[in-house]
């Protein structure tokens, strides 16, 4: 199955302003939003998030906001959330997010999907068949062997320390047929949020607004599919 990088739209005719939401606050902690919502772990409590819609901004199904970069998660409305929630969402937790509209003086409730790395599916990955590489330049890839999740994680740490690059994955093989292909996931050390072809088709079919897609190199296959 093919995957796409998902981000928010930068079309001002649609969004009005970028970002659409600012003044993001989190209740339940004195820590900053960026310190609590990281790429690697969820908060150890149930935060309540809120922000303000900027004056010229328009509501879309997927919204851009300051303080919570798209790489860490997605600010979505109920319509988007219900579609995404039909799929497996490894590493994802949902937090309520109130958006205050100063013009109307009311709040609109959204969901913030905080998406960390895909460790939840690590046990289903066949690392011997999956392919990993380091991008040497725009046209050249250096393929490397990865043995397991810890090897993947630790090799990334070393590679980032060495030259700032990360280990990319081109194809993941799932070694158990019964696992549902993830609808949304994020690879270790990557800021890109990936969505499956099936979920993208569902978003397009339902005319979900505020989205931007870019084709990813990643494909996810089951061992069963590879034998057909």
């Amino acid at each position: 199955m093919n995957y796409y990088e998902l981000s928010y739209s930068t079309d001002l005719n649609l969004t009005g302003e970028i970002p659409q939401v600012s003044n993001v606050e989190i209740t339940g902690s004195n820590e900053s939003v960026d310190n609590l919502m990281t790429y690697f772990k969820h908060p150890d409590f149930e935060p309540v998030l809120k922000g303000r819609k900027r004056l010229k901004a328009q509501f879309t199904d997927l919204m851009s906001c300051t303080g919570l970069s798209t790489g860490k998660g997605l600010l979505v409305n109920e319509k988007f959330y219900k579609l995404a929630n039909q799929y497996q969402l490894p590493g994802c937790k949902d937090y309520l997010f109130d958006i205050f509209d100063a013009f109307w003086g009311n709040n609109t409730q959204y969901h913030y999907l905080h998406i960390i790395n895909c460790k939840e599916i690590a046990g289903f990955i066949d690392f011997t068949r999956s392919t990993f590489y380091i991008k040497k330049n725009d046209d050249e890839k250096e393929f490397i062997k990865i043995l397991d999740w810890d090897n993947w994680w630790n090799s990334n740490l070393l590679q980032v320390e060495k030259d700032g690059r990360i280990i990319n994955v081109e194809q993941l093989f799932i070694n158990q047929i019964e696992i549902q292909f993830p609808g949304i996931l994020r690879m270790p050390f990557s800021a890109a949020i990936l969505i499956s072809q099936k979920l993208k088709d569902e978003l397009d079919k339902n005319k979900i607004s505020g989205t931007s897609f870019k084709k990813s190199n990643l494909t996810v296959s089951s061992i069963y599919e590879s034998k057909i």
Side-chain angles (χ1 to χ4, degrees):
M1 181 179 296
N2 294 320
Y3 277 75
Y4 292 79
E5 294 183 16
L6 170 63
S7 186
Y8 56 81
S9 173
T10 56
D11 181 358
L12 293 179
N13 292 321
L14 176 68
T15 65
E17 289 190 69
I18 296 293
Q20 294 153 278
V21 179
S22 61
N23 301 100
V24 177
E25 298 178 14
I26 187 167
T27 60
S29 174
N30 294 322
E31 288 277 354
S32 69
V33 173
D34 271 336
N35 286 341
L36 285 169
M37 298 293 183
T38 73
Y39 293 106
F40 307 110
K41 61 178 292 188
H42 298 295
D44 55 7
F45 66 100
E46 194 73 20
V48 176
L49 296 158
K50 62 181 180 179
R52 294 174 67 93
K53 184 179 79 68
R54 298 179 72 189
L55 188 61
K56 295 180 181 179
Q58 301 297 316
F59 279 105
T60 52
D61 298 318
L62 171 64
M63 301 274 280
S64 58
C65 66
T66 55
L68 293 170
S69 64
T70 305
K72 293 179 182 178
L74 303 169
L75 182 58
V76 304
N77 63 8
E78 187 72 14
K79 181 180 177 183
F80 188 118
Y81 174 73
K82 284 183 176 179
L83 292 172
N85 207 38
Q86 299 176 72
Y87 295 82
Q88 186 189 29
L89 307 175
C92 178
K93 280 195 174 182
D94 164 42
Y95 304 110
L96 295 179
F97 191 116
D98 282 332
I99 301 176
F100 179 69
D101 186 338
F103 182 82
W104 295 106
N106 59 13
N107 285 306
T108 300
Q109 192 169 85
Y110 269 58
H111 297 263
Y112 183 67
L113 305 181
H114 184 213
I115 302 161
I116 59 174
N117 64 68
C118 67
K119 190 172 183 178
E120 288 179 24
I121 64 167
F124 296 98
I125 298 172
D126 186 332
F127 285 91
T128 61
R129 289 174 179 253
S130 300
T131 52
F132 301 84
Y133 68 92
I134 298 169
K135 197 171 184 179
K136 301 187 74 173
N137 52 52
D138 288 342
D139 303 314
E140 189 177 357
K141 298 175 182 177
E142 177 186 342
F143 288 91
I144 61 173
K145 275 295 210 184
I146 296 294
L147 305 175
D148 54 30
W149 176 268
D150 290 334
N151 179 219
W152 190 3
W153 188 267
N154 292 329
S155 296
N156 257 313
L157 286 172
L158 293 172
Q159 190 65 43
V160 169
E161 185 177 330
K162 177 184 174 183
D163 57 19
R165 294 181 298 171
I166 64 169
I167 295 171
N168 298 281
V169 56
E170 186 164 272
Q171 185 167 30
L172 283 183
F173 272 99
I174 303 297
N175 60 19
Q176 294 193 30
I177 298 169
E178 65 268 19
I179 185 174
Q180 181 190 16
F181 289 119
I184 299 176
L185 73 152
R186 193 169 68 77
M187 296 291 104
F189 292 81
S190 171
I193 289 178
L194 305 174
I195 71 164
S196 67
Q197 179 76 59
K198 283 187 177 180
L199 178 52
K200 179 184 181 299
D201 291 345
E202 195 76 15
L203 298 181
D204 289 341
K205 176 183 173 183
N206 286 274
K207 302 187 186 314
I208 293 297
S209 62
T211 57
S212 174
F213 301 105
K214 178 184 175 183
K215 183 73 181 293
S216 167
N217 287 330
L218 175 70
T219 60
V220 179
S221 304
S222 71
I223 301 303
Y224 174 75
E225 283 183 323
S226 71
K227 294 177 179 178
I228 295 177

